[in-house]
Amino acid sequence: MVSLVKLYRWLGFPRRSLYYRPKLRQHVINADLAARVKLTLERFPTYGYRRLACVLGENRKPIHVMTQ
């Protein structure tokens, strides 16, 4: 029998990946912000999420979630 530490060392994986459990997150979408993003995208279809955030004066992270 081979220990998990040796097995992970042989495979070249870090030991902490054995214990990692991803957290499930629910993204709450702000309806007002979503409508503003949609209108701005219709007006400027080539804008990315960073420029949209700048134009709208908002944080880029919620806008990035909506435009994916």
Side-chain angles (χ1 to χ4, degrees):
M1 181 174 269
V2 179
S3 71
L4 287 175
V5 174
K6 284 185 182 180
L7 183 64
Y8 270 76
R9 191 177 300 143
W10 289 343
L11 294 175
F13 291 119
R15 244 184 357 190
R16 65 180 162 256
S17 64
L18 173 68
Y19 304 105
Y20 175 71
R21 301 270 189 247
K23 295 179 182 177
L24 298 177
R25 296 183 181 174
Q26 295 292 330
H27 294 288
V28 179
I29 296 177
N30 183 349
D32 179 48
L33 182 59
R36 289 175 43 210
V37 167
K38 186 176 178 181
L39 288 173
T40 308
L41 272 176
E42 288 173 356
R43 186 171 176 201
F44 305 107
T46 59
Y47 280 9
Y49 74 94
R50 289 185 181 116
R51 187 170 294 204
L52 278 174
C54 186
V55 167
L56 295 173
E58 295 287 335
N59 190 353
R60 66 177 171 80
K61 291 180 182 180
I63 293 176
H64 182 82
V65 169
M66 282 186 255
T67 57
Q68 287 180 339

